[in-house]
Structure formats: C-alpha cells, structure tokens
Amino acid sequence: MTGSDDRHGIRNHIGGGVYFNAVVQGANVTLQLPATIPAALTGLPAPSPAFTGREAEEEALLAALRPDGSAAPAARRVIAGLPGVGKTELAVQVAHRALGEADLVPGGVLFIDLFGYDERRRVGAHRALGSLLRALAVPHEHVPQEVEERAALYRSVLAAYAADGRRILVVLDNAMDSAQVRPLLPGDPAVPVLITSRHTLSDLGARVLDLSVLGQQAAVGLIGRNLRGVVGPSDTRVTDEPAAAEELAVLCGRLPLALSVVSALLADIPTRPLHSMAKALGDARRRLERLSREDLAVRAAFDLSYRHLGPEQARLFRLLALNPGPDLATEAVAGLAGTEPQDAEDLLLPLARGHFIEPGSSYGRWRMHDLMRLYADELRRTRDEPGEQEAATDRLYLHYLAGAHAADTHVDAGLAPDPLFPDRDAALAWLDAERHNLRAAALAAPGLARPEALVRLHSSLLEFHSLRRHFDEYAELAVAALGAVRASPDPVLRATESSILNNLGTARRELRLFDAASASYQEALALHERDGDPFAAAATLTNLGLTHQQMNRPEEAVDLLRQALDRYPPDSDPRARGMAYNNLGKALHDLRRLPEASEAFAEDIAICRAAGDRRGEGTALNNLGMVLRDMGQYGAAAEAHEDALAAAEETGDRYGSGLALANSGLALAMGRDGRGPQEAVDRLMKALEILDSLGDEHMAAQARSHLGLVLIQAGRAAEALDPLESVVETSRRTGDPHTAAMALTNLGTALELTGLYEDAVRAQTESVALYRQLGERHHEAKALLNLGLALRHTGGLAAAQDAFGESAAAFRETGDEYLHTQALRLHEETGRWRTRQLPEWLRGSGPATPGP
C-alpha cells in the first residue's frame, strides 16, 4: 500500500519502519510511526518551581517507572487524595523527571486531563482516545469512529513504540472512576501509567498511593517558595513572621491548594503581613469564602466532588460535621444518622473512596480534613432543616452518654457492670479510643444547649481519667462543668456544684496545684455542710487531708483525716473510710509514726478486700510496703510491693504498676536478700518506662532518685550521677523542693563515692537547707549525716563534727534510735580524729545510711 504525505509529514507505506495492524473502517491499514512524537501534542504541563514536601513519594514513583529487566508488568500507579492535595502536580513532577532520565521513557509522555469531576468538561473514552491517538501521530483519517476500534488501535500503537525501544509514559489525570480510565489503559505491560483521581480506584489492578496533606514544615516552605517565585527573593515575610506562617499552614489544613490560594493573595499585596492573613482566616465560618482567588478556590474544588454524591451519602457527609470531636467510630456514625452500623458503613465506604473522609487510626474509625469539615458544615447549615440537625445531635450525644456510663461501670469497682461491654478491658479500650471525642462533646455541650451532657460526661469519665492519669483533662472538664451549673437555672444541675468542686480539687491536687486544690475542697466542704450532707463532707475532708499531706503539712493532715473518719455515717460506703485510712497512713508515715501508719494501711487493705476493690488494695499495699521498708522489714516490704504490683496489673492500673515496681526495686536493694542488685535496677528501669509514658514528671523523678540510690548501694556510684542530676534539674524546674532535697542527698553521696568531694559538700549543704526550710527533721538529719561524711574528705573536720552533732540531735527528736546512735558515733570519732590529726586516707568511712 502506498500513499501521499499528510500534513504531519507522515507517509503511509510499507517499508523501513515499525508496523502494526489495526481495523480502520473495515480494512487493514499499515502505518509507519514517526521518528519522534511532536512535543506540543503531549500536553504535559510545566512543573511548579514551588513544589516541595513530596520527595519520598516522587522517588518511589520514579523508581516504579524504571524497568528492572524482569518479565513483570511495568508500573501502574494511582495517585489518590482529596481535592487540592497536589495529585496532578506530583504526577507532572514525576513525568518531567522521567523525561530527564536517559532511556527511561524515550518515547516521551502522553498527558491528558480527563476533567472527571466537571460535568461540562468531562472527557469520555471516545474523545480521549481520539486525542491520544492524534498525539501519537496517527493521522486523523486513520482514527476509527468506534470506541472499541480506537482502543485497539491505541493499545497497538503504544505497544509498537515500546517494541521499537520508544517506551511512553501515559498520564491520565483527574479521573472520576475506573470506567473512565479502563479504555485508556495500555494493553502492553511494558507501558507505564500514572493515574490521578480523588477516588482510590482500587479495582484497576494498579498500586494506589494515597496522598496526604503536606507536613507542617513543607506547608510553610510552600508559602515561602510561592512568594519568592512571584514577588522575588526580597519577600521575606515567612522568615520575618515564622509564628504567623506556622498558623497559616494550620489554618489551610496543610492542603497545597489552600496554601497556593493564600500565597497568591499575599503576592497580590506584597506589603500585607502574614499575621493579617492569619487573622482573616481565623474566622472558621468565612474561611472557605476567603480561600478563593479568581480560578483558585477550595470550595469550588470541593463542589465538583460533592455534586456526584447520592442523596443518602450527601446527607451523611453533611451530618458528619455535627461531631465536635476529631474522628468518629462507625457505631457513632450510625447513631448520628439514625441507622444501623452496617448501613452506616455502606454509606461511609464510598465517602472514603472519594476522600470526603479518611480512615482513622484504626479500622472502623473515620476523620475529615479540617477544610472538608468546614465545607460539610456550610452545606449542613444551608441545606438541612434545624429539626433534623437537632435530632441527629441528640442521637450522637445519647450514643456518647450511654457508652461513657456503661464503660464507667466497669472501671469503677463500686458499680454493677453494664452489659453494653463484655468486660473491663473492652470498656477501657472504648474509652481510650473515644477519649478525645468524649472530651470535645462534653466541652461543646453547653453551647449546644446541653449543659447536663457536660455534667454527666464529666462524672462518667472521672475514674477513667484518674486511672490513665489524664488530670489536665479531668480539671478542664471540671472547670467547664462548674461554669455550666453555676450559669444554669435548673436546680438539679445547681445541686451538683459541690461534687464538681470536689472533683476539681482532686484534679488540681494531682497536678500538684495544692493551694488551688485546697481552695476547691474548702468551697465544696462549705456547700456540703450547708446542705447537711455528712458523707460528702467527710469525703471532702479526706481529700483535703491528703492535700495537706502532700503539701508537707502532716500534722494538719492527721487532724483533718481523723475528723473525716469520725464524720462518716455508719452505713456509708466503707471504701470511703478506707481512703481516709490510706491518707492517714501517709501522713503518719511522714511524721515517722511508723507503727500507727502501718495500722492505718492495714485497715484500708481489709476494707478493700471486703469490697473487692483490687485497685484500692494495690494502692494501700504499696504504701504499706514503704512503711515496712523504713521499719527495716525489707522482706515484708518487698512482699507487699509484689502484691501491689499483682493488683495493679490485674486492674490495668499502669500508674500503680510503675509505683510498685519502683518501690519493690528499692526494697530489694536495701534488703540484700540474695536476688542481686541488677534485679532492683531492672525493676526501676521498667518503672521509669511506665511513669515517663504516663507523663508523670513528679513520680518519674521519685523513681529516678530511687534508681540513683540503688546504683550507689550496688557500688555503681558513677552510674548514679546522671539520673540524680536529672532529678535535681526536673525538681527545680517544676518547683518541687522535697524531691530536689531527696535527690541532692543521694547525689551528694554518689559524688563523695566518686571522689568529687567539694561537689558532694555543695550538694549535701543545699539538701540540708531545703529540708530545714520544709521542716522535715528526719530527712534533714540524714542530709546532715551525709554532709559530715563529705566534709571529712575535704579536711573540714570541725564542720563535719558539728554536722554529725546536729544530725544526732535531729534523729533523737524523730525517735530514730539506730541512726541517732550512728550519728553520735561519727561525732565522737571525728572529734578524736581532730585531736590526733590522722592522715586523710584513714578518715573516710563511706556513707552511713544514704537514703531518700
């Protein structure tokens, strides 16, 4: 067959080329391929110079395009993500990189925008194949009319180019669904394809890259690059206002489209500061309106996707914005929509495929991008009837309230377990998963005219927050609940004020805000006494007594706790009396009234065992173990801590486990029962891992101080320096003089044993001063003892003798006969040394009894 040259200079004849057969208008036509594809016909857009933050994804896609020499199919990749996330730009960047690599895609790149979500401009298979064939240099007169024939010719042409060593990369941009893409896929596995879509298109047999928003640093960098690219290198607004730039990135949800809009708006007025733009976008209800500039608009991009939702999916999408929290479980969605979980999931899955929502942290949880949430909320306010919105909100709150209450019955040992959860582990797992949603729902409730929901959620979450040590959230909810009930005309709600004040006091006490905690308890106590509620008054006195104990005012604590025990009604919950005994034991321990403290803890343990309160029993056992340790009964102390650890592990009390491990480690080290110092160190390291993970700086510091002491007693004083110095630094920063003094005492001993005598004297001197300021005579006596030992090494025998004398007097006051005798011996011995002037090497005797 012969023919004349067409307008592209392509001669249709047999000879000297690459040939393929295609059915065109019922006849076999043989075409010779051109040497190159005209570049103008590829349609590949220019890459953005501001592209950033996608290095890992770009390299992975580029690597997938490189043929590995095997018979495996070439890479087909779908780049999916929500509107405006930068799918097209990533594909364009990869395509340009591929063109720049020798022999990667020698045939070039075919790029076509399918406009899948724009009904007016959507490109169907017939039109797309025609464009692609013409871009491949197939003459117009040889392009078939039927879609199937066009597809066959298209696949044949691509395969022929690949066979001739001119492999082509096909980029199918902005596809709506698999049906739009499938006719455009090459038949030859050697031809690579990149597809971009807002849907995952997981049924194409291609690997899916689900593109997320930019990281914070990359988002800020994109604004800076855009501004420098448009205004010039003199635009330094991002570096001049780093905090405002960070805020802008957050307000834009780190979405590249939104960041580009903001950059364009800022480039329009080079004198506009970034904080002005951040302030404008701070109004959530107008943010989408302001994220618009001519042909760039976030809302418009979202609109294109929303138009393709069915009525039920669109309704659910709008309702999802009613959730105050960061994500939703499928069961919560079902409550919101008033449907069954399976039906809710059937609606959620298409929304996820279209990136209206995203899968959450675990299966069955869903979240929305911040700007998508604002978009859904706009639609809800304009399209849904107020009654429907109120009903949906009611259903969601009923779901949260029922779940929180049922879970609380499993966490609180005093309540009958609700069958909504099969066991305590399931209840805790639900609370852990819903924690942030429950907090958000509680705080939003007053603004939704539901203050009672806040009060109920606050109450249901107390035991959980206490168990998990979330005392900042505990306090936040209590403050909000207090404000809500005080503003409410409802007498039922107003009656809860005293109990909320008591709860607020507990949260503040655990946060070591002792003065604020005491004030809250005093307010609660006044209300209980006004209302004639002896049980509540006694419970508040119990808490107030514990607060005074932790404020290092043990005498006052003992008085308050004795009052509490006297005021509990005979028929009241025995566990409340048990807590009073536990707190009394701690105060008596501080006063060195050790046998009385032991008796108080034994009372609490008996009450907890009778009530089946294993968590409370574990707490009391741990406290008893510390008393037994100070009484020198190290074996009994270790046994009590072991029992406390077992109780904590049974009840999922990680905090209790951490404390029991720390204390058992110290008891083992001091008892020298043959198990070896390494086991004590191992227990303390495990305790630190738990306490650090819970964010409890105070108790973690206590455990580090114990670790330092154990290392000293194991003859590893040099290893003790780092943990003890860390405790001193933390305690100074957090304003905890008691822990600082304890750590300084042990640090001084470690410094002495490592030969740093001057440093040891300074540490012990500071410890003595702190204990004296705190009025803790027994601990002051120990620090004085250790100060004397350090002073002997520096040659200050007179000062050492004075320190030993003061130590002996203090031990006599506190009734510690053993240490009183030791201090007197050292005082007399040092006096003899002063007169004999013995050489330095005879003066050191090591630490007497270093300890916290």
Side-chain angles (χ1 to χ4, degrees):
M1 174 180 174
T2 62
S4 60
D5 293 344
D6 70 1
R7 67 178 185 277
H8 294 299
I10 300 170
R11 185 171 180 80
N12 301 323
H13 65 94
I14 297 175
V18 178
Y19 306 102
F20 54 92
N21 290 326
V23 178
V24 180
Q25 296 178 342
N28 287 333
V29 177
T30 304
L31 302 175
Q32 180 175 339
L33 301 179
T36 61
I37 302 174
L41 298 180
T42 64
L44 183 62
S48 168
F51 182 73
T52 187
R54 302 293 193 199
E55 292 77 13
E57 294 89 346
E58 185 181 9
E59 291 302 327
L61 289 171
L62 206 59
L65 296 180
R66 296 187 181 104
D68 58 6
S70 70
R76 288 184 181 178
R77 294 292 188 269
V78 174
I79 306 173
L82 77 161
V85 80
K87 303 178 292 294
T88 297
E89 185 58 42
L90 176 59
V92 168
Q93 295 282 342
V94 170
H96 278 281
R97 285 277 305 276
L99 283 172
E101 278 200 28
D103 300 326
L104 184 53
V105 284
V109 176
L110 277 178
F111 179 96
I112 184 168
D113 188 344
L114 299 174
F115 295 102
Y117 297 88
D118 189 333
E119 293 177 355
R120 296 180 297 105
R121 297 193 291 171
R122 185 180 304 130
V123 179
H126 186 275
R127 182 173 145 207
L129 287 165
S131 298
L132 291 168
L133 285 168
R134 285 188 288 273
L136 289 166
V138 174
H140 176 72
E141 62 270 21
H142 294 305
V143 175
Q145 287 301 311
E146 298 298 324
V147 169
E148 293 78 6
E149 293 177 347
R150 287 187 174 198
L153 181 58
Y154 165 72
R155 288 191 290 269
S156 297
V157 171
L158 287 174
Y161 274 112
D164 190 38
R166 288 185 277 168
R167 193 172 74 134
I168 292 170
L169 168 62
V170 179
V171 180
L172 305 174
D173 184 42
N174 204 12
M176 178 182 168
D177 53 30
S178 298
Q180 190 180 18
V181 169
R182 204 168 273 113
L184 312 181
L185 294 176
D188 187 345
V191 180
V193 185
L194 289 179
I195 305 158
T196 73
S197 178
R198 299 176 185 188
H199 287 75
T200 54
L201 308 188
S202 55
D203 56 346
L204 289 176
R207 183 79 57 82
V208 177
L209 168 62
D210 210 327
L211 202 60
S212 62
V213 295
L214 291 173
Q216 180 71 3
Q217 185 177 353
V220 172
L222 182 59
I223 299 174
R225 287 183 179 218
N226 278 327
L227 291 178
R228 290 191 298 274
V230 177
V231 181
S234 62
D235 194 315
T236 59
R237 282 177 283 180
V238 168
T239 53
D240 293 342
E241 293 188 86
E246 294 272 353
E247 185 180 1
L248 277 176
V250 171
L251 290 169
C252 291
R254 308 197 311 274
L255 187 71
L257 173 59
L259 294 164
S260 297
V261 173
V262 163
S263 302
L265 293 171
L266 288 167
D268 288 339
I269 309 176
T271 58
R272 183 174 189 176
L274 267 59
H275 70 263
S276 167
M277 179 63 73
K279 183 179 180 181
L281 295 180
D283 182 356
R285 293 211 168 192
R286 298 192 63 191
R287 191 175 306 160
L288 288 180
E289 176 186 334
R290 286 172 172 156
L291 285 174
S292 175
R293 182 188 177 279
E294 297 178 1
D295 59 335
L296 285 176
V298 174
R299 185 194 282 123
F302 292 172
D303 279 339
L304 288 175
S305 290
Y306 179 76
R307 291 171 190 163
H308 299 286
L309 291 177
E312 288 302 309
Q313 293 169 353
R315 170 183 175 268
L316 179 59
F317 172 66
R318 297 192 301 269
L319 290 180
L320 291 175
L322 288 170
N323 179 48
D327 67 355
L328 275 165
T330 300
E331 293 77 14
V333 175
L336 184 68
T339 187
E340 294 298 318
Q342 186 58 55
D343 295 330
E345 186 175 64
D346 290 343
L347 295 172
L348 286 164
L349 291 175
L351 291 176
R353 284 195 293 271
H355 289 87
F356 293 93
I357 58 175
E358 304 169 330
S361 56
S362 60
Y363 178 72
R365 301 197 70 83
W366 313 91
R367 61 177 181 237
M368 299 178 80
H369 184 270
D370 289 347
L371 296 181
M372 190 66 84
R373 179 195 287 266
L374 290 178
Y375 177 68
D377 194 52
E378 278 189 4
L379 294 173
R380 176 189 59 77
R381 285 187 278 110
T382 57
R383 302 193 184 191
D384 292 327
E385 294 296 327
E388 182 180 2
Q389 298 178 51
E390 282 295 307
T393 302
D394 282 341
R395 291 192 297 268
L396 181 64
Y397 269 91
L398 284 173
H399 170 78
Y400 285 143
L401 288 165
H405 171 72
D408 184 43
T409 65
H410 289 268
V411 180
D412 188 336
L415 300 175
D418 188 298
L420 183 62
F421 295 101
D423 53 36
R424 190 171 188 272
D425 288 344
L428 282 171
W430 186 86
L431 287 167
D432 285 328
E434 296 293 353
R435 168 189 162 196
H436 297 298
N437 285 310
L438 294 169
R439 170 186 170 273
L443 294 175
L448 298 171
R450 292 170 173 81
E452 74 287 347
L454 165 60
V455 174
R456 289 173 60 189
L457 285 170
H458 145 267
S459 177
S460 294
L461 294 172
L462 290 178
E463 287 294 323
F464 167 69
H465 282 322
S466 178
L467 179 67
R468 292 291 195 250
R469 313 296 293 173
H470 300 151
F471 289 109
D472 50 347
E473 294 175 31
Y474 191 147
E476 182 184 32
L477 292 184
V479 168
L482 192 61
V485 300
R486 285 175 171 171
S488 174
D490 185 347
V492 175
L493 278 184
R494 292 296 298 269
T496 63
E497 180 181 359
S498 54
S499 63
I500 294 171
L501 277 165
N502 188 63
N503 297 334
L504 177 58
T506 298
R508 287 172 167 170
R509 187 194 72 230
E510 292 288 352
L511 293 168
R512 304 190 67 76
L513 302 171
F514 297 124
D515 290 336
S518 180
S520 296
Y521 286 138
Q522 294 283 5
E523 281 191 78
L525 181 61
L527 290 174
H528 291 318
E529 290 178 337
R530 181 201 67 186
D531 297 337
D533 188 339
F535 174 81
T540 302
L541 281 168
T542 299
N543 289 328
L544 190 58
L546 178 58
T547 305
H548 279 71
Q549 182 266 329
Q550 292 180 334
M551 294 170 76
N552 298 308
R553 291 155 63 177
E555 295 91 348
E556 296 172 35
V558 168
D559 181 58
L560 289 166
L561 291 161
R562 297 280 190 206
Q563 289 183 50
L565 286 166
D566 289 341
R567 294 175 68 169
Y568 275 116
D571 59 347
S572 61
D573 183 353
R575 291 189 312 147
R577 293 179 62 83
M579 283 186 238
Y581 276 118
N582 182 70
N583 296 346
L584 177 61
K586 295 174 79 168
L588 291 167
H589 188 183
D590 289 345
L591 291 170
R592 308 300 298 170
R593 292 158 60 177
L594 302 182
E596 292 177 72
S598 175
E599 290 172 8
F601 289 132
E603 289 279 358
D604 185 25
I605 291 168
I607 289 171
C608 289
R609 284 174 176 166
D613 182 1
R614 281 289 278 158
R615 185 180 170 206
E617 180 187 352
T619 299
L621 281 164
N622 195 46
N623 291 331
L624 175 62
M626 289 188 281
V627 172
L628 293 170
R629 183 190 71 209
D630 283 359
M631 294 172 74
Q633 300 177 28
Y634 301 119
E639 185 178 344
H641 292 312
E642 290 290 342
D643 291 344
L645 178 61
E649 290 178 342
E650 280 179 38
T651 57
D653 182 0
R654 295 188 68 234
Y655 177 72
S657 295
L659 297 187
L661 283 165
N663 287 313
S664 68
L666 186 58
L668 287 174
M670 297 183 75
R672 310 179 194 277
D673 65 351
R675 278 189 269 186
Q678 189 56 48
E679 182 175 345
V681 171
D682 290 344
R683 286 180 175 240
L684 282 157
M685 294 300 292
K686 188 173 181 182
L688 277 171
E689 182 182 340
I690 293 172
L691 295 170
D692 281 336
S693 72
L694 292 171
D696 193 321
E697 277 193 311
H698 174 70
M699 293 313 300
Q702 300 275 324
R704 277 190 176 83
S705 191
H706 286 355
L707 175 62
L709 180 56
V710 168
L711 289 168
I712 290 169
Q713 295 197 332
R716 296 155 62 179
E719 295 177 51
L721 295 178
D722 280 347
L724 291 171
E725 286 170 351
S726 171
V727 174
V728 173
E729 180 184 348
T730 299
S731 302
R732 285 170 174 163
R733 176 171 49 79
T734 59
D736 183 0
H738 181 275
T739 303
M742 176 179 67
L744 282 163
T745 297
N746 295 334
L747 177 61
T749 300
L751 290 165
E752 178 195 344
L753 292 173
T754 52
L756 300 170
Y757 303 125
E758 297 290 347
D759 291 338
V761 168
R762 281 192 288 271
Q764 299 292 6
T765 300
E766 187 178 351
S767 176
V768 168
L770 283 172
Y771 278 132
R772 190 165 289 163
Q773 177 186 336
L774 293 166
E776 296 191 12
R777 284 291 278 162
H778 188 263
H779 290 106
E780 180 190 346
K782 283 189 176 183
L784 282 163
L785 188 78
N786 289 328
L787 174 59
L789 293 170
L791 283 166
R792 291 198 310 184
H793 285 288
T794 65
L797 294 180
Q801 187 177 18
D802 290 343
F804 290 137
E806 289 184 62
S807 175
F811 280 132
R812 185 173 58 248
E813 285 178 32
T814 60
D816 194 322
E817 290 299 325
Y818 173 76
L819 288 179
H820 171 248
T821 302
Q822 292 293 313
L824 276 179
R825 179 182 62 79
L826 289 166
H827 177 266
E828 293 167 1
E829 182 181 85
T830 305
R832 291 194 299 271
W833 289 4
R834 288 179 62 194
T835 59
R836 295 179 185 177
Q837 293 296 304
L838 293 182
E840 178 71 26
W841 64 273
L842 285 176
R843 296 176 190 159
S845 64
T849 311

